[in-house]
Amino acid sequence: MGSSWKIGRFLDIDVFIHWSFPLIILYFLYISGAGSAATVALSVAFILLLFVCVTLHEYGHALAARGYGINTRSITLSPIGGVAQLESIPEKPRQELWVAIAGPLVNVAIAAVLIPFAFFAFPLSGFGEEIIGEALVPDIATLVWALGAVNISLVLFNLIPAFPMDGGRVLRALLAMKLGRLKATTWAVRIGQFFALLFAIYAIVSGGSPFLFIIAIFIYFAARSEERYVKIDHALSNRQIHEVTQEHFYSADQNATLQETLSNSVNQGEDDLLVTDEGRYIGVLRKRDLMQKVLREQTGSASVLSATLLQVPSLQLTDSAKVALKTMQKHRINVLPVMNSGEMVGVVYWRVLQQLLQYNNFQKSSTAAN
Ligand SMILES: [Zn+2]
């Protein structure tokens, strides 16, 4: 992740912050105006603690997913919130429901500790008093109360049914129990995009939050790409790998140089590439890793093996075609080798899976027209 910095690894999950993260601190300092050093320190402490709560929220999702055997690639914090990058979304509605709700439940738990604590430690009469001399307590009180309150608002905001926000996932899971995953997704996506539109209009009309506007755009496009994934997944059900396998393909020999591999792959219109040793599959080379090596690091004369090869499991001719989609999604690549009795017999391309979706849509619309 080039645009993010790793800040640590906890419970086997890397945590990153997006480069724009410090902007939120500057933004809040800007809107809160100038203050004493102590007020500024407390404001910064508040934002950092808020993001600790957001991180714990993401761990809620990640650990619930782990309970169902799904790994989390990373957790990234940005000014618009946190994202836990799960390797896949659970298909069973009940599992998706628990993974989605686990994040907000963490904030419920934090608020359930902070608010009673604040209630007894800092009765509301002291709330909001100015800092006078060394009497910092009223403002630490404000900090604790505000953190309690912000956790409640995180729960409420995340539970807005704007797919793919948490509330939208809960909605899809509930709908999927009745309608099946495909229809449930279509509904959840439409409702999500409706909310995205409302958020955007509100952000513009109120002349306020740039964050809400960015969230709206994010929701709109994330909803659309997830709908697409579910549609392809549906189009692939009842199909086997051999129906989507291409027998003719280009692969890079391990002894080739990175430079010739790049020119060949461009000529052949390939994206990610299989690397082979005399026809035997040994790994996948991502196009962006290849370009990085040749164009940025200028190491084109080195052999293909000097690049990072991903050890992605191969497909079997008799697998369900859905396995191809899942494996590509999990490893974020767009080509996979297909084996038959230990020998590589072809490849599956992401673009072919997409074409299948177009084919299905076309077939549906022409049946409807008849
Ligand atoms: Zn969440």
Side-chain angles (χ1 to χ4, degrees):
M1 241 180 263
S3 53
S4 305
W5 303 304
K6 183 171 159 179
I7 53 169
R9 183 177 173 85
F10 313 97
L11 300 172
D12 285 332
I13 301 169
D14 289 333
V15 180
F16 292 87
I17 53 171
H18 193 253
W19 64 266
S20 59
F21 186 84
L23 292 180
I24 192 173
I25 293 177
L26 295 176
Y27 177 77
F28 273 95
L29 288 180
Y30 168 74
I31 58 169
S32 61
S36 70
T39 331
V40 170
L42 277 173
S43 305
V44 173
F46 171 72
I47 294 161
L48 294 180
L49 287 170
L50 162 61
F51 273 85
V52 170
C53 296
V54 171
T55 310
L56 292 173
H57 171 114
E58 298 308 329
Y59 269 95
H61 293 308
L63 296 181
R66 186 178 285 178
Y68 296 119
I70 296 170
N71 287 329
T72 299
R73 276 188 208 110
S74 61
I75 288 174
T76 303
L77 303 172
S78 77
I80 60 165
V83 178
Q85 291 253 328
L86 307 189
E87 278 185 344
S88 64
I89 304 292
E91 273 185 40
K92 294 197 178 108
R94 188 176 291 270
Q95 296 185 356
E96 176 169 44
L97 186 71
W98 277 114
V99 172
I101 207 93
L105 279 183
V106 170
N107 300 109
V108 170
I110 297 172
V113 172
L114 280 184
I115 291 177
F117 171 74
F119 193 78
F120 289 110
F122 312 111
L124 278 174
S125 61
F127 186 54
E129 276 178 26
E130 295 301 316
I131 300 176
I132 306 158
E134 60 196 1
L136 266 174
V137 175
D139 250 78
I140 289 193
T142 313
L143 180 78
V144 177
W145 274 109
L147 270 179
V150 91
N151 273 283
I152 301 283
S153 39
L154 278 177
V155 173
L156 296 178
F157 183 68
N158 276 292
L159 288 183
I160 295 174
F163 186 82
M165 279 172 53
D166 298 342
R169 291 203 178 279
V170 170
L171 175 69
R172 174 176 65 181
L174 293 174
L175 289 174
M177 290 174 188
K178 290 268 171 247
L179 305 174
R181 192 167 154 85
L182 183 66
K183 265 198 184 150
T185 305
T186 310
W187 276 103
V189 164
R190 279 184 200 148
I191 295 168
Q193 290 182 332
F194 172 71
F195 274 103
L197 202 66
L198 286 187
F199 288 170
I201 292 172
Y202 179 78
I204 294 168
V205 171
S206 69
S209 176
F211 299 113
L212 192 60
F213 192 77
I214 298 169
I215 290 172
I217 294 174
F218 167 79
I219 291 173
Y220 189 89
F221 287 101
R224 204 168 70 165
S225 85
E226 197 150 331
E227 182 181 27
R228 190 168 182 78
Y229 177 85
V230 172
K231 278 186 171 169
I232 295 178
D233 185 70
H234 184 76
L236 291 178
S237 45
N238 307 321
R239 286 186 188 262
Q240 284 189 316
I241 290 295
H242 70 86
E243 295 174 72
V244 288
T245 297
Q246 310 287 304
E247 287 166 10
H248 300 285
F249 60 94
Y250 167 74
S251 65
D253 188 81
Q254 60 166 353
N255 298 317
T257 67
L258 290 166
Q259 179 64 57
E260 26 174 328
T261 305
L262 181 61
S263 0
N264 285 340
S265 82
V266 170
N267 287 340
Q268 307 278 337
E270 298 280 350
D271 283 327
D272 300 336
L273 282 174
L274 298 186
V275 178
T276 51
D277 172 16
E278 292 175 353
R280 200 172 48 84
Y281 160 70
I282 54 175
V284 175
L285 174 57
R286 279 207 188 102
K287 186 170 197 177
R288 66 182 155 87
D289 292 341
L290 177 60
M291 300 220 289
Q292 163 99 8
K293 284 267 173 197
V294 177
L295 305 175
R296 207 171 289 165
E297 295 172 21
Q298 308 276 329
T299 51
S301 54
S303 97
V304 164
L305 286 183
S306 68
T308 316
L309 300 188
L310 303 175
Q311 300 305 317
V312 182
S314 47
L315 303 165
Q316 300 296 323
L317 270 185
T318 49
D319 282 341
S320 152
K322 287 172 104 173
V323 179
L325 182 68
K326 271 222 167 104
T327 314
M328 285 181 191
Q329 163 97 351
K330 183 172 173 186
H331 298 276
R332 297 178 150 187
I333 48 172
N334 49 37
V335 64
L336 282 171
V338 180
M339 314 290 279
N340 189 24
S341 14
E343 214 171 292
M344 187 160 73
V345 291
V347 299
V348 173
Y349 291 115
W350 166 245
R351 57 172 187 268
V352 172
L353 301 185
Q354 273 188 310
Q355 275 162 16
L356 207 63
L357 174 62
Q358 281 170 3
Y359 171 79
N360 261 28
N361 285 345
F362 186 75
Q363 212 176 25
K364 241 182 259 162
S365 60
S366 46
T367 332
N370 283 336

